[in-house]
Amino acid sequence: MTGTFVGMPSFPAFPAFPEAAREAVGDGVLRANLRHATHTIRDKRARAVAELADWDRLRAAGKAVKDHTLRHLDRYLLQLEESVTAAGGTVHWAADADEANRIVTGLVLATGHREVVKVKSMATQEIGLNEALEAAGIAAYETDLAELIVQLGHDRPSHILVPAIHRNRAEIREIFAAEMGRWGRPAPDGLGDDPRELAEAARLHLREKFLRAKVAVSGANFMVAETGTMVVFESEGNGRMCLTLPETLISVVGIEKVVPTFRDLEIFLQTLPRSSTAERMNPYTTMWTGLGPSRGADGDGPSAFHLVLLDNGRTDTLADEVGRQALRCIRCSACLNVCPVYERAGGHAYGSVYPGPIGAILSPQLRGTGSEIDASLPYASTLCGACYEVCPVAIDIPEVLVHLRERVAQGGPVTREGVRVRIRPAHGHTAERAAMRAARLLLDRPAALRAGERLLARARRLRPRRLPGPGRAWTDARDLPELPPEPFRDWWARERGGRA
Amino acid sequence: MSSRDRILGRIRRAVADGAPDPAVPRDYFQVHGTRTPAQTADLLAANLAEYRAKVHRVDEDGLAPLLMRLLAARGAQTVLVPPALPPYWLSAADPTRIHDRAVSTAGELDRVDSVVTGCALAIAETGTIVLDGGPEQGRRRITLVPDHHICVVRVPGQVVDSVPQALRRLDPTRPLTWISGPSATSDIELDRVEGVHGPRTLEVVLLTGPAE
């Protein structure tokens, strides 16, 4: 793995899911780390959810708020722009990753400062902001503990909520001891691998950055159209540090994060923490509205606030009648923690900052299905449905997976960059379609089918373990089934032939 | 065409299929269960403690001596004070009072031992205190940088049962900080560790007694 984090635009270079997953499944340490973490959190989450007798109602309400907002997204974004502006903030619109990166880079350069502290944000990872800032000579420091582990480890995040879930304490100790000194305050001598000690090392390392930072970059969990209020959920206090101490705050937020009213937050303040960290409430939530009533004059919070509204494939996703429900996602990551595929393959195999079941439907919609990895993601699932069960906004992930599989295999109409186009079936599905045509031919001719079956039954000892030719991919991951000694229809005719 | 117009145009075309526009069902509970004010205070105390906040209960007469003891036990030499903290709260305390002023830098705040504030309200069902930058609470940064935060909650006046009740009482134009237990992380093997960047020790004083 190279030292640079690979942002969303470069991801199509990633191998298809089956290849990436095969490597991960063979890594015993990785599988143990993932298993420990996902099982810990899924049991806790079930208890936290069971505390609320009205969970299903909260879930239905959250779904409806999001669907209603998406239906009128233009109206709510305009209202949000007006509210944020009235409260002293500045709103920018970015159609894609490049434009968002240009806007943020320009805003940082205009401050005259060359370093920024960052609150963990999926949107800025999606657009590869850190690399864009680096190219402009700006150092971006991740301040969430897990993001720090990923950044110092020259690694990629592998989980939405706990990006370093694939690392155990011993690995984290190694990373801190080797890398902290290159970025600032080194890890203390004789650093052990107790989580408490590791967290303390991160505290000391990051504190000097917080106290001198003049510019911060964040995302947001929610934006309220009615009031212009931005909301960030977090646990460690790094979010509060970045959101209140610097002079300039730049928030990059996907357009689907808007909700109509302040009251709507009462739903998500109950469902998000319980679904993600399995807590009644996360330790810290910060809400700010522009520059506040005093417009930053009393030094309470930044004196400049910029909101960058990000499209980057979201409007294309909105144009898909089945797939648009993915935009309801509140990034809780509950679906990752229950997924049998994620648990074994890990987050990196998904080739995106959005791994797991939600990633399997979000990435191919945001980026299109043109690359190998994106065309393979709808198949990275057993369709067991556990992800739908736990989703706090009731995204029917299996339904979208099947829809996207059809799109990949058959082609059809999609919207790319706002334009309606018809895509062709993805490469690699030609053999499958040929096999289906051959099957239809055979099934339409009972005599030919019967002759073929008998021939196969007699040759069953010669059955290879793997298929040759185009069938090989199928047996890469499966053993070829055993053939019965005689065809079922022969058996039926022999045993039950005389009866009705 | 500006990106603003381009994005808005794409949205309008995307939903031109006449997607369903569901009404939002608000039949979820406004409060979970029925409690007396005393039971609500007990639940708040229990939930705060479960997330590792230290909870103290005291009446008006006992407040100043309690705060003195808490600061002394901590060995605090200096304590940050919001602009309108009632003077009698700290009348028995020894530490030097540092007043919250706009000119004080983050570095200066970092050298202060403790901070004492009031709150906007507290939520029993989740064990949360909410600050809104009011005169008894001061700026956001003073409850963030020092390592020890003592927060006084008036019971029952400032205590609500649930999140929906809390939102109805809060002003969204004010900066709001929701605090549930001290700073914590679960990033290493999902083991919860208290104390990262925010105050590592949170003490909540539930203050009962006659209203002022």
Side-chain angles (χ1 to χ4, degrees):
Chain A
M1 191 55 56
T2 62
T4 24
F5 166 72
V6 188
M8 194 95 159
S10 325
F11 268 123
F14 274 71
F17 184 83
E19 281 99 275
R22 185 175 302 124
E23 200 177 309
V25 168
D27 182 341
V29 176
L30 176 72
R31 285 184 64 179
N33 293 353
L34 283 168
R35 190 183 152 75
H36 168 74
T38 55
H39 282 256
T40 304
I41 191 98
R42 75 169 72 157
D43 298 342
K44 269 180 71 185
R45 180 201 160 274
R47 286 197 296 276
V49 165
E51 266 189 19
L52 298 187
D54 58 341
W55 183 260
D56 288 341
R57 296 178 188 190
L58 285 164
R59 186 176 186 241
K63 172 183 190 276
V65 166
K66 285 286 191 171
D67 279 346
H68 167 78
T69 313
L70 291 170
R71 179 73 182 73
H72 305 283
L73 193 55
D74 54 336
R75 192 220 298 169
Y76 287 120
L77 288 173
L78 289 172
Q79 191 187 6
L80 175 75
E81 180 183 50
E82 202 179 312
S83 309
V84 170
T85 308
T90 308
V91 177
H92 311 260
W93 300 69
D96 57 26
D98 286 345
E99 186 175 14
N101 287 332
R102 269 201 310 280
I103 292 168
V104 177
T105 306
L107 289 170
V108 177
L109 290 175
T111 65
H113 298 288
R114 291 296 175 271
E115 56 178 36
V116 302
V117 286
K118 284 191 68 209
V119 192
K120 177 177 173 302
S121 132
M122 301 306 295
T124 60
Q125 283 173 16
E126 174 190 320
I127 62 177
L129 178 65
N130 289 8
E131 295 68 48
L133 290 173
E134 194 186 327
I138 300 161
Y141 298 115
E142 294 292 349
T143 64
D144 170 74
L145 177 53
E147 291 286 1
L148 178 72
I149 295 166
V150 168
Q151 190 175 42
L152 292 178
H154 311 291
D155 198 356
R156 289 186 292 122
S158 71
H159 190 281
I160 288 175
L161 182 79
V162 265
I165 196 171
H166 58 296
R167 298 286 201 183
N168 62 32
R169 60 187 72 191
E171 295 173 292
I172 295 166
R173 195 209 75 85
E174 288 302 313
I175 291 168
F176 279 10
E179 298 288 336
M180 270 186 173
R182 293 211 249 164
W183 292 83
R185 182 171 176 151
D189 288 336
L191 178 70
D193 66 1
D194 177 50
R196 204 162 290 279
E197 230 177 297
L198 295 168
E200 175 68 13
R203 176 187 176 91
L204 295 172
H205 177 80
L206 287 172
R207 199 148 187 98
E208 56 171 31
K209 294 191 169 56
F210 290 134
L211 298 185
R212 68 163 190 248
K214 301 292 182 219
V215 186
V217 173
S218 83
N221 294 88
F222 299 95
M223 316 184 276
V224 181
E226 167 190 56
T227 58
T229 306
M230 315 287 298
V231 189
V232 167
F233 289 62
E234 52 128 1
S235 296
E236 296 168 10
N238 65 305
R240 292 178 65 193
M241 288 277 183
C242 295
L243 298 168
T244 57
L245 294 184
E247 293 163 3
T248 302
L249 171 60
I250 304 165
S251 299
V252 182
V253 189
I255 52 175
E256 82 283 15
K257 293 291 179 85
V258 67
V259 296
T261 67
F262 188 62
R263 184 187 172 189
D264 291 325
L265 296 176
E266 72 192 15
I267 300 164
F268 304 109
L269 278 162
Q270 296 187 78
T271 54
L272 178 53
R274 287 177 200 262
S275 293
S276 57
T277 52
E279 294 169 302
R280 291 188 193 100
M281 191 66 86
N282 49 299
Y284 296 135
T285 298
T286 299
M287 302 185 190
W288 74 98
T289 302
L291 296 175
S294 59
R295 299 285 166 86
D298 60 357
D300 190 12
S303 48
F305 170 58
H306 295 272
L307 171 60
V308 181
L309 294 172
L310 178 71
D311 180 344
N312 204 36
R314 286 161 176 76
T315 49
D316 291 341
T317 307
L318 184 64
D320 188 307
E321 289 175 37
V322 178
R324 63 168 58 124
Q325 57 184 304
L327 296 176
R328 293 206 294 262
C329 177
I330 57 174
R331 312 281 189 261
C332 73
S333 74
C335 61
L336 276 62
N337 300 329
V338 297
C339 177
V341 177
Y342 176 87
E343 184 189 325
R344 288 160 180 85
H348 290 162
Y350 293 80
S352 163
V353 299
Y354 303 110
I358 186 65
I361 62 169
L362 203 50
S363 307
Q365 295 201 84
L366 293 178
R367 304 189 298 207
T369 49
S371 69
E372 272 197 20
I373 178 68
D374 287 315
S376 70
L377 285 176
Y379 296 87
S381 166
T382 63
L383 301 182
C384 76
C387 49
Y388 174 47
E389 291 298 313
V390 298
C391 179
V393 284
I395 302 169
D396 192 341
I397 294 176
E399 181 191 19
V400 182
L401 284 167
V402 171
H403 170 70
L404 293 175
R405 285 181 188 189
E406 188 183 309
R407 178 65 30 83
V408 169
Q410 312 270 340
V414 294
T415 304
R416 294 314 304 164
E417 293 181 358
V419 181
R420 199 89 173 141
V421 292
R422 177 166 284 277
I423 55 163
R424 286 193 303 221
H427 180 74
H429 288 268
T430 340
E432 189 182 309
R433 281 202 314 284
M436 292 313 279
R437 269 198 302 275
R440 192 185 312 153
L441 208 69
L442 205 58
L443 290 168
D444 280 347
R445 291 165 180 74
L449 179 64
R450 180 164 308 182
E453 282 172 350
R454 287 182 181 151
L455 188 66
L456 277 176
R458 250 169 267 144
R460 60 195 284 265
R461 282 180 214 295
L462 304 174
R463 177 185 68 106
R465 292 175 62 85
R466 301 180 67 183
L467 285 171
R472 219 173 114 182
W474 193 80
T475 48
D476 268 355
R478 306 166 181 81
D479 290 330
L480 200 59
E482 289 217 35
L483 288 163
E486 68 178 325
F488 172 76
R489 293 193 298 176
D490 286 3
W491 175 88
W492 182 266
R494 181 161 51 76
E495 293 285 321
R496 307 279 178 96
R499 282 164 278 170
Chain B
M1 194 195 284
S2 72
S3 289
R4 180 178 184 268
D5 293 341
R6 189 173 299 129
I7 293 169
L8 291 170
R10 287 178 187 176
I11 292 169
R12 285 167 191 146
R13 285 197 300 280
V15 295
D17 57 34
D21 184 5
V24 177
R26 302 272 181 190
D27 57 351
Y28 49 82
F29 301 156
Q30 292 303 299
V31 55
H32 295 85
T34 47
R35 301 174 198 98
T36 64
Q39 287 169 329
T40 300
D42 288 345
L43 181 64
L44 174 65
N47 283 339
L48 281 163
E50 192 178 328
Y51 283 138
R52 307 288 190 276
K54 295 176 184 164
V55 182
H56 311 274
R57 306 177 85 149
V58 74
D59 61 15
E60 291 279 354
D61 293 340
L63 181 62
L66 172 68
L67 292 177
M68 177 189 70
R69 279 202 307 280
L70 297 180
L71 291 167
R74 179 83 190 175
Q77 302 290 314
T78 49
V79 58
L80 260 166
V81 182
L85 199 78
Y88 78 91
W89 285 14
L90 290 178
S91 59
D94 294 329
T96 308
R97 291 156 186 64
I98 311 282
H99 291 277
D100 168 34
R101 293 176 307 144
V103 290
S104 50
T105 65
E108 285 163 8
L109 297 180
D110 192 32
R111 290 190 285 277
V112 178
D113 296 320
S114 300
V115 57
V116 177
T117 72
C119 69
L121 55 81
I123 307 167
E125 288 182 4
T126 57
T128 304
I129 54 177
V130 182
L131 310 183
D132 70 357
E136 285 190 358
Q137 301 149 52
R139 294 175 306 154
R140 283 175 274 178
R141 56 175 60 188
I142 70 168
T143 54
L144 171 63
V145 181
D147 206 19
H148 178 219
H149 178 198
I150 301 175
C151 181
V152 178
V153 181
R154 292 192 176 85
V155 179
Q158 290 184 316
V159 182
V160 298
D161 278 284
S162 68
V163 169
Q165 290 176 351
L167 280 175
R168 282 206 292 275
R169 279 176 54 163
L170 292 168
D171 174 358
T173 66
R174 304 194 65 88
L176 301 174
T177 304
W178 296 48
I179 300 173
S180 308
S183 162
T185 182
S186 301
D187 280 344
I188 301 169
E189 298 183 17
L190 282 167
D191 280 353
R192 197 171 200 273
V193 175
E194 279 80 33
V196 197
H197 308 301
R200 285 179 288 189
T201 307
L202 172 67
E203 304 203 59
V204 180
V205 177
L206 303 181
L207 172 64
T208 51
E212 287 167 88

